[in-house]
Every structure is written in structure tokens, then in C-alpha cells.
Amino acid sequence: NLMRCLHRDLVALSKVPGESFLTDEVKLRGYMGEQIIKGKTTYKQIIGVALSTLRGLQQTKRIFKESPPKTTIEFTSKGNLKVKLVLPLRVNPVAGVTPNTAASISNDEDENGDWDGDGDGDVSFLPPFRSGLPFKIELISEYRLNADGMVKDHRLIETRINGQLTPDEVILRWIRNLVSSSGDERKKNKRDEGNPILDLISVARSFGLSGGGNNRL
């Protein structure tokens, strides 16, 4: 069942969603329906890199997962599948400290709020991990199916960061950078080789999005 496979794969972010349902000529299309890539091999490569980037984003020292990814999958009136993936992340304002390292800190505060270091494991003096800045990514796309129920097109519909619609060209530029990074020319020229994770964070920075106020990523 394609819906079940998409849900399982998207929540795990571990493999190309619905891989066994892809046609050999599957196309990835942009927001206006334009073709970005064609063919199962290239599609799997690019989507694999994108998923790896999203996984890596959750493992950085500044960004951590607030809760597991969420998916909503429904049939459209034309018999295609509309998929929404939500990544509820948070930005840690304290650089270089993650929730894991915070949990392992043995020092804590006494009844007066001073750092007493008695080692009882109370780390409530570290509020950033309870009130970190929200960094929610929402990705909406449509899988178009052929008469046999196989995926012939995967079209991007909408992308939001913290609820704010991102300009199409920003996300398309990031995807095209992923395509370029897998090409021979990019491999030959190490000076041009970028980091997809940093590129994605830069996308958010370009909006000044960080969850409200004047705080920024």
C-alpha cells in the first residue's frame, strides 16, 4: 500500500518514500509544474540527499527535534496523493550545547537560584531547552499516479517555515544545489562544494525566521 509506505518512510526519514512504487521515468516537478529531474535513479539520489540533510539538521548542535515528524496523506479528487510532512524542530540559543549534553550536566541550582553543584541532576537552570526557538518545517507535495497506481510525478506544492510561506525560488535553488552537488563538475571543484545542511539553515536565515521577536537563527 503506497499510503502506508509513504507514511512509514517519511516519519523515519531513512529511505526514499514509496521507492518500490516509483516508475522508471518518474519526474520531480517544481511549484509551477516544471520538470526538475527525470528518472528513478536520479530521483532516488536527490531525494536521498534531501532526506539525509533533514536528518542531519536534527543532529546539529543548534537544532534539535521537538517531537517526531508528522505526516498527513489524503487522496485528491483526481486520484493522486497529497502529502504533508511536518518537522517540529527547535533552535537552541545556547551555541554548542545540546539537550543530551544538558541532561548530563551534574551541576544545578539551590533554592536561591544559585549554581550549587550538588549533583542532584536538576538542570532546570537551562531554560533554552524548554523554550528553544521554534523552527517548524512544513513540506506539502503531490504524488501523481498512473493507471497502475505507480508514481509517475512528484510535484512540490508548498513549503513553510514557522508557518510562513517560503518563496518558490528559494527552495528550488536549494534543490538545484543538491542536484549540482551530485554532478561531476561539482565533484571536480572542491571550492564549490557546499554543505546542504548549512544551505538549508541559510534558507531560514534569509527570511529572518526563528520563531518570533528579533531573535534569529
Side-chain angles (χ1 to χ4, degrees):
N1 182 285
L2 176 56
M3 292 182 72
R4 188 179 299 114
C5 288
L6 288 174
H7 172 75
R8 178 197 63 204
D9 297 340
L10 286 168
V11 169
L13 295 179
S14 59
K15 60 182 296 186
V16 176
E19 180 177 348
S20 60
F21 290 86
L22 300 176
T23 62
D24 290 336
E25 299 298 314
V26 63
K27 303 177 184 67
L28 177 64
R29 296 187 180 277
Y31 299 92
M32 301 300 293
E34 71 279 21
Q35 178 179 305
I36 301 175
I37 54 176
K38 178 181 179 180
K40 183 191 290 188
T41 300
T42 305
Y43 177 90
K44 287 169 56 178
Q45 183 180 18
I46 299 307
I47 297 299
V49 173
L51 291 174
S52 177
T53 300
L54 292 175
R55 289 196 307 272
L57 191 66
Q58 300 176 62
Q59 298 168 1
T60 64
K61 294 182 178 180
R62 291 298 303 275
I63 297 174
F64 58 93
K65 181 168 58 177
E66 179 180 45
S67 60
K70 303 173 184 177
T71 63
T72 301
I73 304 175
E74 58 187 14
F75 277 104
T76 69
S77 58
K78 295 184 178 180
N80 300 315
L81 288 177
K82 184 178 180 180
V83 178
K84 179 178 180 180
L85 172 65
V86 179
L87 300 176
L89 308 175
R90 281 194 173 272
V91 177
N92 172 20
V94 180
V97 183
T98 67
N100 288 336
T101 56
S104 67
I105 294 175
S106 61
N107 292 330
D108 52 25
E109 57 185 3
D110 60 20
E111 63 275 9
N112 296 319
D114 297 322
W115 199 335
D116 62 4
D118 64 8
D120 68 5
D122 180 7
V123 292
S124 59
F125 66 96
L126 289 173
F129 302 113
R130 298 169 183 241
S131 59
L133 305 174
F135 181 37
K136 184 171 75 172
I137 301 175
E138 299 175 70
L139 306 171
I140 301 176
S141 61
E142 182 178 81
Y143 289 80
R144 297 180 60 195
L145 312 179
N146 63 16
D148 297 320
M150 303 289 284
V151 178
K152 62 179 181 179
D153 277 353
H154 181 194
R155 178 176 174 178
L156 307 177
I157 296 179
E158 186 177 288
T159 304
R160 291 178 179 271
I161 296 179
N162 286 349
Q164 183 170 334
L165 189 66
T166 61
D168 299 350
E169 66 271 14
V170 174
I171 299 300
L172 288 176
R173 188 184 312 126
W174 178 68
I175 293 175
R176 291 192 173 105
N177 284 342
L178 294 182
V179 175
S180 299
S181 68
S182 65
D184 292 336
E185 291 302 316
R186 191 68 174 272
K187 292 178 181 178
K188 290 178 183 178
N189 190 348
K190 297 295 182 180
R191 290 176 302 177
D192 281 341
E193 194 167 350
N195 185 317
I197 297 176
L198 296 180
D199 287 346
L200 187 55
I201 293 176
S202 295
V203 168
R205 276 206 191 104
S206 68
F207 299 81
L209 296 176
S210 61
N214 295 320
N215 297 311
R216 294 178 180 269
L217 294 175

